[in-house]
Amino acid sequence: MSYNPAKIEKKWQKAWEKTGIYLAPDKVKGKKNFYHLVMLPYTSGDLHIGHWYNFAPADVYARFKRMQGFNVMSPIGFDAFGLPAENAAIKNRIHPKTWTYKNIKKMKKQLRLIGAVYDWSREIITSEPNYYKWTQWMFLQLYKKGLAYRAKVPANWCPSCKTVLANEQVVEGKCERCESEVFQKEIEQWLFKITESAEDLLENLEELDWPENTKTMQRNWIGKSLGWEVKFKAKGLNFSSEIPVFTTRTDTLFGATYLVLAPEHKFIADNLSFITNQRTLKKYIEESKKKTERERISEVKEKTGIEVRGIKAINPVNNREIPIFVADYVLMNYGTGAIMSVPAHDQRDYDFAKKYNLPIIKVVKPKNGSGVSDKAYEGEGVLMNSGRFIGMKSSEAKERIGEWLSQKGLDKKKVYYKLRDWTISRQRYWGAPIPMVFCQKCGWQPVKERDLPVLLPKIKDFRPTTDGKSPLAKSKKFLETFCPKCNGPAKRETDTMDTFVCSSWYYLRYTDSSNEKIFASKQKIKTWLPVNMYIGGSEHIVLHLLYSRFFTRALKDFGYLSFKEPFLTLRHQGIILGSDGQKMSKSKGNIIDPDIQVRKYGSDVIRMYLCFMGPYNQGGPWNIKGIGGVVRFLKRVSGQKSKIRSDESASSNSKENPAFKKLIHQTIKKVKEDIEGFRFNTAISSLMILINAIDKEKEISVINYKILLRLLSPFAPHLTEQLWQEIKPDKLKLKEFKPKDSIHNQPWPEYNPKLITKKQIYLIIQINGRVRDKIEVKVPLNRKIAEELAFSSQKVGKWIKGKKVKRVIFVPGKLINIVI
RNA sequence: GCCCGGGUGGUGGAAUUGGUAUACACGAGGGACUUAAAAUCCCUUGGGUGAAAACCCUUGCGAGUUCGACUCUCGCCCCGGGCACCA
């Protein structure tokens, strides 16, 4: 009954590696390929128990698929470039590369402890030249097709990290990393035109087997809005122009009592000479530029603005003159940067109108005609004060008013998305250099493909500069080059790429990770992709998944891929919190080191405990309290060996207790279905039920014992391998161990559906929906017999005595309910 | 503010289509073995009344639909995550 995980786990990890049993060949006769992928881990250094939670249950699934007869590829690698590496390196005064590779070494050691089916031969590291060569190549393809472009864009500028941040890296107006306040700054940057795919990225979500809320979040992020772009004439002394505004509420046009422009709106600068209050206006615009994101957000309730004097707008539906304002609650980078304001039916407009004493005209009557309030009514209803549209429903009026103006050439249907183009420039050292060269004569030129990779030079001073340029600009050797077009002197782009670029295509590289000619051969892509099962944290719902989908689409359009969705099925794991219920972090000192846990309990126990804790996508606080149950369970499993019936003839199996046999088959079914549904916790509990039953048996046949081991093997691969080898007649010689002998190359047990159909059940007898009796009966059972049985029950008699039976409900195979 | 999740014993959690609420495990209590402890095994374990049989209450709170609700609907409270002036 001894169970010594330290000994057997190391032994089997070595044996598996030596025999390469988890290497996935591109083709295996008679087997279908299955690409099982966990999200590329970032090289942050120590793995904590949260990483295990990502990898260990995911490995259960991979092992299960293997046993089901698939040729499973489960690759692993490292997302090695990135800002955190630099920050940590600066802090510890070592080079980011040294820091990163030290971490990789440690993580590899830790990952091996899991005992997963990783195919290490396919390993990738995104900071290796043979990888980022292809990241750069991807950039060039996007550039060639006009999907990568350079533009001056207002960027989120972190004054402390001295770099531009993606919108997503700004949390509540603060830098995600260092929590400094983020400013808006206009900088020339490289962008990817992800907005061009917005519609397609949205539409295709339907078809994916992804968690529904993940899809919803992507949908919201893309943020499609259907509406109309309406032209408002602008008039002043000797002046006439037009201001287009975007609205989804054409039904409220009659209530538009002023226009509001974003401070950055070109209209102001273009027509400054016609404006009579130039100075105050300019001052306001300057001030709003200086505001940080955070300040703007904190003023959500307190709106500020200033009127543009000397120019009025004309409301196209009634030709009324209305004032124009500039206010920073209107954003330049959405819609047209100008809005029509309908204070009666938009809360923001209402707040603004109240503050500046502007007219509020109600044009939509609420359906249930609720009374007057000091709030805007934003719902739909019936139109009022709207000329010939009075009495029309909002939904209809939206179209009618839109069409009416359209006939007069005053508006057009328009779709806007919240999604913005992806700024990929980073003014940082530790990333893949952007393969572009600037020549005074020829302008920006792409590096020739044959000259890739543009190597990241090893420089000593990699710290960010205060002028906002990449540290690479300090390296003359790197900076000065020749123009790929005219061969004259030229300068390299010194910005590096956002790490999300690196991780947007890595799943392709695993199929062919050492290919020097192409990122992956067509043949290999065809055999493996798209990914069959993708597992990772929900923190990547918006960015990584969207970017990967964008890349896949682009590569398909360029003719390299034949599919546009990279991940057909997606599952998330939850987050493991510290025992204090807080997110694990070094500063809180609540990090659980898996190495210590493994040393104490063994990998199998930790794997199983993580699976058993609760639903996989839920996560929760790490709490060691219940781990003893798993330890006891595995001990009991190894203890069952002594019960194996020596006589192994066919008749021996038939000696088995039929109820027990039935349980075995039920368990096979349950474990299979639970693993398929990522319900690892209930799969384990059904195995525990089986063990409890085996305990009550005096003997167990080899056949059933083998079934037990195979059902358990995805969860506890080491122990089950050991026990599997021990039941062999000849004593195991490790040197002679061959992959085909391994339990992990055995087929998943099949259950016999006939054995698990229920012949007898407890018929539940309810009175008014409350259980009053249970009778063991044979099934199938018809209504008449059920009623007879129910009414002859003594307990029932007691309840219905002297009462009138109103109704009897019979649910075949389940219950009978007597209503009195 | 908006959009997603979630709230079940002392604890982690189960209940697959509206049909036996609390599976499985932890912890706790009692017992066996032992000089003793650990380990192991057995019994009890949602709350209440009761000697027992039995009955009543119980899935965040309040209502509703239903023969029957953890499950569906409405309102409210709390917790977690995401978004945040997107016209």
Side-chain angles (χ1 to χ4, degrees), chain A residues 189-393:
Chain A
Q189 313 226 39
W190 291 101
L191 291 101
F192 286 162
K193 229 180 241 173
I194 190 168
T195 51
E196 199 154 273
S197 310
E199 187 59 40
D200 194 44
L201 288 167
L202 191 67
E203 271 178 16
N204 259 278
L205 280 171
E206 294 293 328
E207 297 160 23
L208 298 173
D209 176 15
W210 288 17
E212 212 39 61
N213 56 343
T214 300
K215 291 199 217 175
T216 307
M217 277 173 84
Q218 282 223 352
R219 245 173 241 135
N220 293 344
W221 189 263
I222 295 168
K224 185 179 182 174
S225 232
L226 288 161
W228 296 77
E229 201 169 288
V230 184
K231 283 180 198 159
F232 279 68
K233 283 215 169 71
K235 276 187 181 163
L237 211 59
N238 305 320
F239 169 79
S240 176
S241 177
E242 268 178 358
I243 301 173
V245 306
F246 177 65
T247 180
T248 54
R249 291 296 302 270
T250 37
D251 57 321
T252 64
L253 256 161
F254 283 88
T257 51
Y258 57 94
L259 292 193
V260 190
L261 309 184
E264 306 90 339
H265 201 290
K266 261 195 1 217
F267 182 86
I268 307 296
D270 289 353
N271 305 298
L272 211 56
S273 55
F274 301 99
I275 297 168
T276 54
N277 60 338
Q278 290 177 22
R279 210 171 291 170
T280 35
L281 198 59
K282 265 182 168 171
K283 202 177 144 205
Y284 177 81
I285 292 168
E286 282 307 310
E287 273 169 12
S288 70
K289 266 187 192 168
K290 273 188 219 152
K291 278 187 196 170
T292 62
E293 254 324 87
R294 195 174 160 75
E295 279 168 334
R296 281 178 75 155
I297 290 165
S298 68
E299 282 168 16
V300 165
K301 275 172 194 147
E302 189 57 32
K303 296 192 191 333
T304 64
I306 197 148
E307 189 176 350
V308 179
R309 293 188 192 273
I311 302 177
K312 294 273 183 196
I314 310 293
N315 187 336
V317 291
N318 53 18
N319 292 320
R320 277 195 204 155
E321 262 193 10
I322 55 173
I324 302 171
F325 279 80
V326 167
D328 62 9
Y329 81 91
V330 174
L331 308 172
M332 193 56 226
N333 52 9
Y334 183 78
T336 62
I339 61 156
M340 65 174 206
S341 207
V342 185
H345 303 292
D346 183 288
Q347 194 55 44
R348 293 159 306 179
D349 297 344
Y350 182 90
D351 296 342
F352 193 82
K354 277 273 169 193
K355 184 166 173 181
Y356 293 99
N357 235 340
L358 294 156
I360 299 170
I361 303 171
K362 286 186 182 170
V363 291
V364 178
K365 211 188 285 171
K367 275 181 203 129
N368 45 12
S370 68
V372 194
S373 70
D374 60 344
K375 266 183 167 171
Y377 174 71
E378 296 186 332
E380 302 209 329
V382 175
L383 265 62
M384 55 198 270
N385 297 328
S386 298
R388 57 181 162 119
F389 297 95
I390 290 171
M392 198 180 276
K393 276 187 186 164

Side-chain angles (χ1 to χ4, degrees), chain A residues 14-23 734-735 737-739:
Chain A
K14 269 190 193 158
W16 294 332
E17 201 172 336
K18 214 173 137 195
T19 52
I21 91 168
Y22 302 135
L23 299 181
L734 247 195
K735 277 182 191 164
F737 173 73
K738 288 192 191 72

Side-chain angles (χ1 to χ4, degrees), chain A residues 628-642:
Chain A
V630 173
V631 176
R632 245 163 269 168
F633 169 75
L634 289 179
K635 277 187 187 175
R636 284 165 75 194
V637 170
S638 27
Q640 302 308 328
K641 213 179 61 191
S642 57

Side-chain angles (χ1 to χ4, degrees), chain A residues 85 160 180 229 470 564:
Chain A
S160 164
S180 316
E229 201 169 288
S470 159
K564 58 181 177 181

